[in-house]
Amino acid sequence: NPWTQARLRTAEMTDVRAIINQLAARRKQLGLTQTEIARRCHLTPNAISQLERRNFAGTRVSTLLAYANAIGARITIETGDTE
């Protein structure tokens, strides 16, 4: 069902936005720059900047996990029944 898939994608993107917002807030709280995070994640500062500006289409889970690790945070992924 295309409608269900569209709603699912919207929910997933909302969750990704929330995660990125929390990561960026924590980075700022720690006084770290985007360049420092990029170096720790082996990414470019531009990639971190775009991620934080919500240009995260195609962002890999591994990127979010690396970012979290770089600031001493943890992301937990849970799966549940699909029924």
Side-chain angles (χ1 to χ4, degrees), residues 23-24 27-28 31-52 62-71:
L23 293 173
R27 172 186 67 76
K28 293 171 186 172
L32 298 170
T33 66
Q34 290 177 340
T35 300
E36 289 169 313
I37 296 301
R39 190 171 338 163
R40 293 178 185 193
C41 295
H42 305 286
L43 296 169
T44 65
N46 186 49
I48 299 297
S49 175
Q50 287 200 19
L51 182 67
E52 289 186 3
S62 60
T63 300
L64 296 176
L65 295 173
Y67 190 132
N69 187 57
I71 61 171

